[in-house]
């Protein structure tokens, strides 16, 4: 059994009347890239702030590396690297000085510190910008600096809160690849996002949050398995009668049929050869059709099914 890195039990956090975290529990194990996925306001940042003891909470227990986390747990904190949602660097320090400052909070040995800072600079690809001040950096480069500051001291647990928001595609890819590389080098990662594709791409397990609760948890395959919808077939059609729609509704494994703007959408729960069966029926009935596509559910569909809401960028 892999070691527990983070254990959150029954966490409740209120901001006056608002319940931001509602008996939220979660356990994350060594070696994972764990995705915390949820729309804005679902409680991701609040969870992280509670985890780090930056925020007091009303109820619940938090353990990190098997020890109770408190505001004065310096030893635990030195093993954590945090990249906050809002970039937090010093404007009056250069890129190099910023990374050196944050690394120096935990690494006291001078030679090791210099080596760590150089490695962090290289890791995020800021070699040409070490003498720049943050104000001179583009949004993407600033994000990379923020990341370098968080990881320079080689933490065992790295927490990134929406690190790719408002970042150009090139920097975004670099960030995602970087996270996977850090994980390969042995770090456990917690990654929050409201982008489906990212979480799907890099996370070993995913918790879906909504209104301070965990509404689904598992690998992306497990989450998709929990869904009713397994396949959606869309066909561009000319004329379809009500009676024919009724027939389609009665085909095996179909649970929903809609016709809108000449697009027939058929949703399936399980079954094989669904496409073939539908095409056969359309040919028998002489229904003329244009393009046909069959789609498997994405995490976006998972979210929609669990919450009834669409996830948006
Ligand atoms: P996320 O990071 O998933 O977008 P947050 O954890 O920031 O969500 O917010 C969760 C909920 O708590 C939201 O409804 C938000 O408006 C509220 N909230 C967050 N911070 C505060 C605060 N300092 N005071 C009052 N309400 C807050
Ligand atoms: Mg947030």
């Amino acid at each position: 059994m892999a070691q527990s890195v983070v254990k959150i039990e029954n966490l409740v956090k209120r901001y006056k009347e608002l319940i931001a975290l509602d008996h939220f529990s979660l356990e994350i194990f060594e070696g994972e890239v764990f995705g915390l996925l949820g729309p804005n306001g679902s409680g991701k940042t609040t969870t992280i702030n509670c985890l780090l003891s930056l925020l007091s909470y009303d109820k619940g227990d938090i353990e990190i590396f098997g020890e109770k986390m408190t505001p004065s747990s310096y030893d635990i904190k030195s093993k954590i690297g945090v990249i906050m949602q809002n970039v937090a660097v010093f404007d009056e320090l250069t890129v190099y000085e910023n990374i050196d400052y944050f690394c120096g909070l935990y690494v006291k040995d001078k030679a090791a510190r210099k080596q760590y800072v150089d490695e962090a600079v290289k890791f995020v690809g800021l070699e040409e910008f070490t003498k720049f001040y943050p104000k001179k950096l583009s949004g993407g480069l600033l994000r990379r600096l923020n990341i370098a500051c968080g990881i320079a001291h080689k933490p065992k647990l790295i927490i990134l809160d929406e690190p790719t928001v408002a970042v150009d595609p090139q920097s975004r890819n670099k960030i995602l690849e970087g996270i996977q590389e850090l994980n390969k080098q042995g770090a456990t990662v917690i990654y929050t996002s409201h982008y489906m594709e990212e979480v799907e791409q890099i996370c070993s397990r995913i918790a879906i949050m909504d209104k301070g609760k965990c509404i689904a948890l598992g690998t992306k395959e497990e989450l998709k398995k929990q869904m009713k919808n397994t396949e959606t077939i869309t066909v561009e059609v000319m004329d379809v009668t009500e009676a024919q729609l009724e027939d389609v509704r009665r085909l095996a494994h179909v649970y929903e049929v809609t016709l809108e703007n000449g697009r027939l959408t058929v949703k399936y729960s399980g079954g094989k050869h669904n496409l073939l069966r539908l095409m056969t029926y359309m040919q028998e009935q002489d229904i003329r059709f244009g393009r046909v596509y069959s789609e498997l559910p994405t995490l976006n569909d998972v979210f929609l099914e669990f919450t009834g809401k669409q996830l948006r960028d």
Side-chain angles (χ1 to χ4, degrees):
M1 187 73 179
Q3 216 152 9
S4 172
V5 173
V6 169
K7 192 170 180 183
I8 301 173
E9 276 182 310
N10 266 316
L11 192 60
V12 176
K13 170 66 190 173
R14 288 197 187 85
Y15 295 109
K16 297 200 176 126
E17 301 300 293
L18 182 101
I19 301 181
L21 294 175
D22 189 359
H23 297 86
F24 183 71
S25 299
L26 192 64
E27 188 160 21
I28 297 169
F29 299 96
E30 196 175 344
E32 290 200 278
V33 177
F34 193 92
L36 213 50
L37 179 69
N40 286 331
S42 55
K44 304 182 295 294
T45 300
T46 301
T47 303
I48 287 171
N49 286 335
C50 290
L51 255 187
L52 297 168
S53 279
L54 295 174
L55 199 59
S56 65
Y57 41 93
D58 299 271
K59 219 169 126 178
D61 290 298
I62 296 175
E63 280 182 12
I64 302 186
F65 300 115
E67 287 174 52
K68 192 168 165 51
M69 182 68 180
T70 67
S72 59
S73 304
Y74 179 83
D75 267 0
I76 301 181
K77 284 187 180 174
S78 69
K79 291 187 226 160
I80 306 177
V82 190
I83 292 102
M84 288 295 192
Q85 187 166 3
N86 299 319
V87 172
V89 294
F90 295 106
D91 282 338
E92 60 274 23
L93 299 182
T94 63
V95 162
Y96 189 93
E97 289 163 352
N98 261 295
I99 303 172
D100 186 58
Y101 171 81
F102 286 101
C103 185
L105 294 177
Y106 302 111
V107 181
K108 299 303 174 196
D109 180 80
K110 263 195 179 158
R113 178 164 156 189
K114 180 169 186 319
Q115 188 197 330
Y116 281 18
V117 174
D118 287 341
E119 281 174 17
V121 167
K122 218 167 140 203
F123 186 79
V124 296
L126 282 177
E127 293 98 325
E128 287 163 33
F129 302 93
T130 51
K131 295 204 170 73
F132 279 54
Y133 287 90
K135 284 230 155 71
K136 296 272 181 213
L137 300 178
S138 69
L141 294 180
L142 200 57
R143 280 274 162 199
R144 292 199 224 165
L145 170 60
N146 201 36
I147 292 174
C149 291
I151 61 147
H153 63 291
K154 297 195 187 297
K156 284 182 162 174
L157 170 62
I158 299 173
I159 302 175
L160 302 105
D161 195 4
E162 308 222 29
T164 58
V165 168
V167 158
D168 60 280
Q170 196 197 346
S171 288
R172 187 172 179 165
N173 283 336
K174 196 147 180 71
I175 289 170
L176 292 179
E177 283 164 22
I179 291 168
Q180 288 177 302
E181 182 56 35
L182 290 166
N183 179 247
K184 260 194 223 140
Q185 291 171 9
T188 302
V189 178
I190 302 178
Y191 184 86
T192 86
S193 180
H194 62 267
Y195 295 116
M196 280 301 162
E197 316 81 56
E198 289 186 351
V199 178
E200 227 166 328
Q201 198 179 328
I202 66 167
C203 295
S204 52
R205 278 199 310 147
I206 298 155
I208 302 184
M209 287 187 79
D210 191 38
K211 295 184 189 137
K213 285 192 173 124
C214 177
I215 54 162
L217 172 72
T219 64
K220 64 176 183 229
E221 291 80 15
E222 285 166 350
L223 291 178
K224 286 179 187 177
K225 253 191 226 151
Q226 288 176 38
M227 290 181 53
K228 181 174 169 193
N229 177 268
T230 57
E231 186 178 8
T232 301
I233 298 177
T234 309
V235 189
E236 290 175 0
V237 287
M238 304 296 169
D239 304 294
V240 184
T241 65
E242 265 308 315
Q244 287 169 329
L245 282 183
E246 266 314 305
D247 283 345
V248 174
R249 274 190 193 103
R250 281 194 289 267
L251 291 177
H253 308 293
V254 171
Y255 73 90
E256 194 183 297
V257 177
T258 49
L259 179 65
E260 239 174 68
N261 302 323
R263 287 159 68 95
L264 176 71
T265 305
V266 187
K267 293 195 171 186
Y268 292 87
S269 198
K272 281 182 187 154
H273 314 302
N274 293 330
L275 183 60
L276 182 63
R277 212 175 293 110
L278 181 63
M279 291 292 102
T280 307
Y281 174 77
M282 305 233 309
Q283 270 160 3
E284 281 168 10
Q285 295 282 317
D286 261 335
I287 300 172
R288 292 203 292 150
F289 58 89
R291 273 185 298 178
V292 178
Y293 20 100
S294 159
E295 295 163 290
L296 300 173
T298 64
L299 265 184
N300 205 357
D301 299 310
V302 179
F303 189 83
L304 182 65
E305 217 173 274
F306 281 110
T307 65
K309 286 187 300 196
Q310 196 86 41
L311 254 195
R312 298 233 178 269
D313 285 2

